[in-house]
């Protein structure tokens, strides 16, 4: 379920068009279907797809129910880094979508998890079993997976209280002169481009710490540590301070690397085990395409 409060810049937009830009993994036709099915409520009431959004509207968008046959287990040979009876840590490769959506029900991380794990939590609904947090399709790296609802709630609480460790490696445009820094800037929907996020005055709190790992002639390799977890946070924050991520088709410069998406890797995740209380931390090396870019830079700049 998605809860959305319309802002000043949203006023006047058709509801179906507006929702297609703010609800992840959705389209205008998908939103029209949900509105007509009565699973979208504006201030507690059903409306038509052409309803004009008003500032302050409270909008609830329920997930569209899919029949059991829509989401099937698939043998995707996922790399399960860790697994016990309560929790798992899985590696998501670049190019893989985390969970199914209407019109996209196959080849996702969830399809693979349903095949490889014997149990998954149900808090996030049938489209997102076990999914506690997400990373973008073209970001590689580690994700926590909950195998029951009690564990799921505990992991979400750890995310909320900022006790989960999430470290990313990114290659950014430009040479950062200082060794480390913190970006503390609120993130919300970009009022000029509804399919993008941006730093905006009325956005949600967002904090990213970064450390320089290596400098090249025109690029810098950095480690980014999330204190909060907003949509596209690292991509938006690095663009905001003038060092957009290389290969990023949405937030990068017009002329960036053609590497099939942003060079961003969720390499470390750490959390307290919800049952044993043990502090766990896992890491995954850079994917081959990311490592190849770095090796070529090092070779050229010797």
């Amino acid at each position: 379920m998605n809860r959305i409060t319309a802002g000043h810049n949203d006023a006047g937009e058709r509801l179906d068009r507006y929702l297609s830009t703010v609800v992840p993994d959705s389209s205008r036709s998908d939103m029209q279907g949900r509105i007509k099915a009565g699973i979208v409520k504006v201030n507690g009431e059903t409306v038509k797809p052409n309803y004009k959004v008003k500032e302050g509207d409270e909008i609830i968008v329920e997930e569209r129910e899919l029949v059991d046959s829509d989401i099937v287990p698939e043998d995707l040979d996922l790399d399960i880094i860790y697994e016990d009876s309560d929790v798992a840590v899985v590696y998501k490769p670049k190019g893989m979508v985390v969970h199914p959506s209407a019109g996209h029900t196959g080849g996702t991380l969830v399809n693979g998890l349903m095949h490889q794990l014997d149990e998954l939590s149900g808090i996030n609904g049938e489209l997102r079993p076990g999914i506690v947090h997400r990373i973008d399709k073209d970001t590689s790296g580690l994700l926590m997976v909950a195998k029951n609802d009690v564990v799921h709630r505990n992991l979400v609480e750890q995310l909320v209280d900022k006790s989960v460790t999430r470290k990313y490696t990114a290659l950014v445009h430009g040479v950062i002169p200082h060794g480390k820094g913190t970006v503390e800037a609120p993130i919300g929907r970009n009022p000029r481009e509804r399919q993008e996020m941006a730093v905006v005055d009325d956005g949600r709190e967002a904090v990213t710490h970064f450390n320089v790992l290596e400098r090249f002639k025109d690029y810098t390799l950095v480690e980014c540590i999330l204190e909060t977890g907003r949509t596209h946070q690292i991509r938006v924050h690095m663009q905001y301070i003038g060092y957009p991520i290389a290969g990023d088709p949405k937030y990068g410069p017009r002329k960036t690397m053609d590497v099939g998406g942003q060079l961003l890797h969720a390499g470390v995740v750490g959390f307290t085990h919800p049952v044993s209380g043990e502090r766990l931390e896992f890491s995954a090396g850079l994917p081959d395409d990311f490592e190849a870019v770095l090796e070529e830079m090092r070779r050229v700049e010797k």
Side-chain angles (χ1 to χ4, degrees):
M1 180 175 69
N2 292 272
R3 292 180 179 273
I4 302 157
T5 301
H8 175 73
N9 294 316
D10 306 321
E13 284 202 61
R14 275 181 60 117
L15 181 63
D16 55 356
R17 183 183 294 115
Y18 168 63
L19 291 178
S20 71
T21 66
V22 297
V23 175
D25 306 314
S26 68
S27 65
R28 186 173 176 183
S29 60
D30 173 34
M31 285 299 110
Q32 288 176 344
R34 296 199 214 187
I35 295 167
K36 291 175 181 178
I39 59 175
V40 173
K41 300 287 180 62
V42 179
N43 303 320
E45 303 290 334
T46 56
V47 295
K48 294 182 178 180
N50 64 356
Y51 171 84
K52 295 296 174 52
V53 174
K54 301 179 180 63
E55 182 179 0
D57 276 349
E58 296 291 337
I59 306 168
I60 294 178
V61 183
E62 299 284 354
E63 289 295 345
R64 216 172 183 179
E65 289 189 11
L66 302 183
V67 298
D68 292 340
S69 61
D70 283 333
I71 305 177
V72 297
E74 294 181 47
D75 185 359
L76 302 178
D77 194 25
L78 297 176
D79 187 1
I80 307 296
I81 303 296
Y82 173 82
E83 180 185 4
D84 61 30
S85 59
D86 299 295
V87 68
V89 175
V90 61
Y91 178 86
K92 187 197 80 68
K94 184 175 183 176
M96 178 179 280
V97 175
V98 170
H99 61 77
S101 59
H104 189 123
T105 59
T108 73
L109 187 74
V110 162
N111 294 99
L113 290 174
M114 290 174 67
H115 173 81
Q116 287 183 239
L117 302 185
D118 55 2
E119 190 176 3
L120 293 168
S121 65
I123 287 179
N124 271 348
E126 64 180 292
L127 295 183
R128 300 175 175 85
I131 301 301
V132 179
H133 60 129
R134 299 188 304 170
I135 54 179
D136 299 331
K137 173 186 175 183
D138 291 326
T139 297
S140 57
L142 301 178
L143 288 170
M144 302 180 294
V145 176
K147 300 181 99 177
N148 60 69
D149 290 355
V150 172
V151 164
H152 192 126
R153 291 189 185 94
N154 183 281
L155 292 175
V156 169
E157 288 172 3
Q158 291 186 50
L159 286 167
V160 171
D161 67 22
K162 304 177 183 177
S163 63
V164 174
T165 299
R166 286 173 291 171
K167 297 180 181 180
Y168 290 66
T169 302
L171 184 69
V172 302
H173 284 270
V175 182
I176 300 177
H178 39 285
K180 60 182 179 179
T182 295
V183 186
E184 187 169 357
I187 290 177
R189 192 64 54 179
N190 186 338
R192 293 182 297 277
E193 178 50 69
R194 302 301 304 175
Q195 295 189 17
E196 295 182 4
M197 307 302 287
V199 171
V200 292
D201 290 339
D202 60 349
R204 300 176 68 190
E205 176 199 20
V207 181
T208 305
H209 309 283
F210 68 87
N211 300 304
V212 169
L213 301 177
E214 189 173 358
R215 293 183 178 90
F216 301 97
K217 180 182 177 183
D218 299 309
Y219 298 88
T220 306
L221 186 69
V222 296
E223 175 187 68
C224 294
I225 303 170
L226 288 181
E227 185 171 317
T228 56
R230 307 305 173 208
T231 300
H232 300 170
Q233 178 172 314
I234 294 174
R235 299 165 67 186
V236 170
H237 271 174
M238 296 313 291
Q239 177 204 45
Y240 178 66
I241 64 172
Y243 301 101
I245 295 176
D248 192 334
K250 189 180 292 286
Y251 301 103
R254 186 169 300 174
K255 291 185 178 180
T256 187
M257 293 182 180
D258 184 11
V259 287
Q262 60 273 3
L263 290 177
L264 180 63
H265 174 68
V268 176
V269 64
F271 55 93
T272 299
H273 194 287
V275 177
S276 71
E278 179 184 3
R279 185 69 186 179
L280 302 175
E281 187 166 291
F282 303 93
S283 61
L286 294 174
D288 291 343
D289 62 339
F290 198 150
E291 195 63 65
V293 170
L294 298 179
E295 288 302 320
E296 178 62 15
M297 285 184 170
R298 293 170 184 139
R299 185 189 67 80
V300 170
E301 297 187 15
K302 270 188 177 179

